[in-house]
Amino acid sequence: LFREKLGITQDIDFITHKPANAVDVRAYEHEDGPGPDTDNIAFDLARNHKSLWNTFILGFLLRELQLCCVHETWPICKDDNYIEEILQERYKRLRTLWRNAQPKLTATGSIETPAEQEARLVKESQRLGKESRQTTHRRNKYRRRKAVLDGIVAMKSEVPDDDLRSWKWLQRLI
């Protein structure tokens, strides 16, 4: 849905999103303007998902997804509230990503140059990648240890052994 309507395939593609014109948003909220263009969706990234503008867009995306569900005869169609919550969470993630990608003030008080901005984003991406790899490594290490202990306890349970209690204790500990 986001690929089709916003032209993004991954979340990182959203950093180039052009936000809605503030004048149009203000006009829509004061009932003086036409509202969001459904052919060229632009979120009001200055506000959260509860703003009138963003609520309209998220409602439009919800209706489009439900139409796809009906037209393509998906075997499972979810409740509107469930999908709406998922869309809101996705918007929050995309908005955070977009805001983090915007130029920041440097220590000297000037705005980052595009090169500094890119370096900051690459550094942050590398940090997140490292954290992800460490977490995956720790999770896999735990699973391997658990599988070994389960096997040892199963093997020791078949033939009664005096150290079975110790292995069960270690299994509970892990």
Side-chain angles (χ1 to χ4, degrees):
L1 182 67
F2 278 80
R3 178 177 45 234
E4 181 183 316
K5 297 297 179 185
L6 294 170
I8 62 170
T9 55
Q10 296 178 339
D11 286 358
I12 195 72
D13 297 338
F14 195 75
I15 63 173
T16 60
H17 181 74
K18 299 279 188 227
N21 185 335
V23 174
D24 293 340
V25 172
R26 212 170 6 264
Y28 176 70
E29 289 180 348
H30 291 91
E31 300 177 2
D32 293 336
D37 179 10
T38 55
D39 294 328
N40 187 18
I41 294 177
F43 283 105
D44 176 17
L45 294 169
R47 302 218 183 124
N48 64 15
H49 68 278
K50 295 179 182 178
S51 74
L52 290 175
W53 185 275
N54 291 331
T55 301
F56 178 87
I57 291 174
L58 292 173
F60 169 74
L61 292 173
L62 172 67
R63 288 188 303 278
E64 288 293 311
L65 188 65
Q66 292 294 32
L67 284 174
C68 281
C69 178
V70 171
H71 289 307
E72 296 178 13
T73 59
W74 291 351
I76 298 174
C77 290
K78 296 290 186 180
D79 183 33
D80 284 356
N81 292 335
Y82 175 77
I83 295 173
E84 185 176 18
E85 189 172 323
I86 289 173
L87 289 172
Q88 288 171 358
E89 289 301 316
R90 180 82 191 266
Y91 171 74
K92 288 177 191 176
R93 266 195 332 271
L94 292 174
R95 180 176 180 243
T96 301
L97 182 71
W98 182 85
R99 290 177 61 133
N100 289 341
Q102 298 308 298
K104 308 285 185 218
L105 286 177
T106 62
T108 60
S110 61
I111 294 179
E112 285 179 323
T113 64
E116 292 171 329
Q117 183 181 359
E118 182 180 359
R120 178 177 52 84
L121 291 173
V122 167
K123 185 177 177 181
E124 179 66 15
S125 176
Q126 289 173 342
R127 185 188 65 79
L128 290 175
K130 182 178 179 182
E131 282 180 11
S132 177
R133 287 188 299 278
Q134 287 175 343
T135 302
T136 301
H137 176 73
R138 288 179 185 133
R139 187 180 312 116
N140 289 340
K141 188 175 181 180
Y142 166 77
R143 288 179 181 159
R144 283 192 308 270
R145 287 179 176 176
K146 185 170 177 359
V148 167
L149 282 173
D150 289 345
I152 290 173
V153 168
M155 183 178 69
K156 297 275 185 177
S157 295
E158 292 172 0
V159 179
D161 201 351
D162 59 344
D163 64 347
L164 176 62
R165 290 181 54 217
S166 299
W167 286 105
K168 284 187 175 182
W169 173 82
L170 187 58
Q171 185 184 32
R172 283 193 308 272
L173 182 67
I174 295 292

